[in-house]
Amino acid sequence: MSTGEAAPAPQPAPKQGSRWPFRRRPRPTAPAGPIDPDAELNASGGLGRGLRILLGLAAVAVVSFGIAGIQGIFAPTFLALILTICAQPVRVWLERHGTPQGLATGAVGLTVFALLAGFIGLLWVALAQFVGMLPQYKPQLQQLGDHIASWLQSIGVGPQQLQQIKSGFNPGTMLNFLTGLLGNALGIVALLVIVLTMLILMPADAAYTPSLLRQLQPTRPNLVYAMSGYAHSVRRYMVVTTLLGIVQGVLNGILLWILGVPAALLWAILSFLCSFIPNVGYFFALVPPIVFGYLTGGWGTVIAIIVIYGIINAVVQSVVQPKVVGSAVALSQTLTFFSVLFWAVVLGPIGAILAIPLTLLFRAILIDSDPRARLWRPIIGDLSHTRELMKEESHARRDERQQRRDQTGHRG
């Protein structure tokens, strides 16, 4: 090397990688901006993303207020639609085995209505038993309310709130709340009339659905894809949730009967209904058995109910149901919880029960039927490809750590 040439700057020696958890990962670089930021604006007809979001939110608000205004007919009609979708494979199976179309349609409609009417009758019997035994626990309920009110008063709760809490332990108030909750959720007389009528009409119209989908397939393939996917997803979710809810209700009812908790049949039915409410249904189903378990068996019964209810709920809803349902729902936990709150506000208690089918319907209409909008599916919970990507990234980081350890060992 000549003396006129500048000597190259010495390169810093590579730092020896320290072992986890003291090794620092390199900070991620900021994402580069788009080359042509106006391309998307031009493609959307001159509407900016912010304006489109505001218009979409305004449309959601208008539709929500409209649905809330007709909730008395919308909720039972949508319930009948879900029942028709779930029963459609049975009708197809009967027709495939030679049953006339009209007879198969009528048989499925009557069978579904008979099951629904039987469930309503069972609920009515359980409510009658509850009404008969409730006056026996009036002194204990009032005493429990006084104890809770005294404790709340000691931590600074105001007298107006204390009076409301104490009134909640009045058997009359408790009965009005329970019958109002179950009455709104099932509709009792009005719902049965609407559902019966719809179960006669919808299965008859559903006989034309396969032909209609084949007719739309050449011109609207994305709409056919979205509606077919919705029917499959909601059918799988509702059937699996119903079967697991029956198992959950039976197990909880047997537990409460063994522990001597009053109205075990009613709380088993409540557990079955609340199994359709993700995330929060378990807590709604748990509170009444805890109250009456405390009145009959004390804290030992309360602890037993909490533990066994928790185990049954964890096994059914956290282990069995996700494996059986799989990607049929594909909604994130956050969106699932928000949908329960949202539809409960719009439709009342029955909205919380129908929250997942309603959310899946709007996803099918707004996202699945539009190829440009399907890129939002991973954001709202369809993480099948995202999990594969995360697994590949995890393997890559593990291989990188192994290479660093090998290099550190060679240098040592």
Side-chain angles (χ1 to χ4, degrees):
M1 177 184 299
S2 63
T3 57
E5 295 179 354
Q11 298 292 332
K15 294 182 180 180
Q16 300 216 357
S18 57
R19 294 190 177 275
W20 182 88
F22 305 102
R23 183 179 69 251
R24 290 185 178 179
R25 292 183 180 176
R27 293 183 179 179
T29 59
I35 299 176
D36 185 6
D38 293 331
E40 184 180 356
L41 180 63
N42 296 331
S44 60
L47 293 178
R49 182 184 298 276
L51 181 57
R52 283 183 286 146
I53 292 176
L54 289 177
L55 291 175
L57 292 176
V60 170
V62 172
V63 172
S64 301
F65 278 108
I67 293 177
I70 60 170
Q71 60 175 308
I73 59 174
F74 179 84
T77 301
F78 187 78
L79 176 61
L81 174 63
I82 297 300
L83 294 175
T84 302
I85 291 175
C86 294
Q88 180 71 2
V90 179
R91 189 191 63 80
V92 173
W93 182 85
L94 290 175
E95 291 182 1
R96 189 182 300 124
H97 286 75
T99 306
Q101 179 178 338
L103 183 60
T105 301
V108 171
L110 291 177
T111 301
V112 173
F113 177 75
L115 293 175
L116 186 61
F119 175 76
I120 297 295
L122 186 65
L123 178 60
W124 190 269
V125 171
L127 278 174
Q129 294 178 352
F130 179 71
V131 171
M133 67 87 177
L134 191 58
Q136 305 174 7
Y137 294 92
K138 182 177 181 179
Q140 294 95 322
L141 287 172
Q142 291 178 345
Q143 185 178 5
L144 178 61
D146 293 336
H147 288 324
I148 295 177
S150 300
W151 175 73
L152 292 176
Q153 186 177 8
S154 65
I155 62 176
V157 178
Q160 185 176 2
Q161 289 81 4
L162 291 177
Q163 186 62 32
Q164 293 177 354
I165 293 172
K166 290 178 65 175
S167 64
F169 288 89
N170 187 343
T173 304
M174 187 177 298
L175 182 61
N176 290 335
F177 171 77
L178 184 62
T179 53
L181 179 66
L182 295 176
N184 290 331
L186 300 174
I188 303 300
V189 177
L191 184 144
L192 280 177
V193 172
I194 296 176
V195 170
L196 172 61
T197 305
M198 289 298 177
L199 285 178
I200 295 174
L201 302 177
M202 283 187 178
D205 293 335
Y208 301 97
T209 301
S211 299
L212 288 174
L213 293 178
R214 286 192 295 269
Q215 183 179 356
L216 288 174
Q217 179 66 37
T219 57
R220 297 291 186 270
N222 291 294
L223 180 61
V224 172
Y225 163 78
M227 292 296 101
S228 301
Y230 171 74
H232 175 267
S233 298
V234 75
R235 184 184 300 122
R236 188 169 185 178
Y237 170 77
M238 292 299 295
V239 171
V240 171
T241 303
T242 300
L243 295 177
L244 293 179
I246 292 174
V247 173
Q248 193 171 347
V250 169
L251 292 178
N252 290 334
I254 293 175
L255 160 71
L256 297 176
W257 178 73
I258 293 175
L259 294 176
V261 178
L265 176 61
L266 180 61
W267 312 137
I269 295 174
L270 182 63
S271 176
F272 166 74
L273 289 175
C274 291
S275 66
F276 291 92
I277 307 176
N279 302 333
V280 295
Y282 162 74
F283 299 100
F284 292 142
L286 183 62
V287 172
I290 285 181
V291 173
F292 286 92
Y294 175 78
L295 296 179
T296 55
W299 288 108
T301 303
V302 170
I303 294 174
I305 293 173
I306 293 175
V307 171
I308 301 180
Y309 257 61
I311 293 174
I312 294 174
N313 178 78
V315 171
V316 171
Q317 294 193 0
S318 301
V319 178
V320 179
Q321 187 175 14
K323 290 185 176 180
V324 178
V325 174
S327 59
V329 176
L331 297 175
S332 66
Q333 294 295 326
T334 304
L335 182 58
T336 299
F337 181 62
F338 176 79
S339 67
V340 171
L341 300 178
F342 177 81
W343 290 112
V345 171
V346 175
L347 295 177
I350 195 173
I353 297 176
L354 298 175
I356 299 301
L358 282 166
T359 305
L360 291 177
L361 177 61
F362 278 85
R363 187 189 70 179
I365 295 173
L366 300 177
I367 294 179
D368 294 344
S369 61
D370 187 355
R372 297 169 298 179
R374 288 178 199 159
L375 58 90
W376 293 101
R377 280 185 62 99
I379 298 177
I380 64 176
D382 188 1
L383 301 176
S384 54
H385 297 292
T386 306
R387 292 191 183 97
E388 296 177 0
L389 179 60
M390 292 176 61
K391 188 180 298 185
E392 293 175 0
E393 292 175 348
S394 177
H395 290 330
R397 287 195 297 266
R398 185 181 60 186
D399 296 339
E400 183 181 356
R401 290 194 298 265
Q402 183 64 38
Q403 291 177 2
R404 290 180 179 176
R405 285 195 293 266
D406 294 341
Q407 292 174 1
T408 302
H410 288 314
R411 285 195 296 267

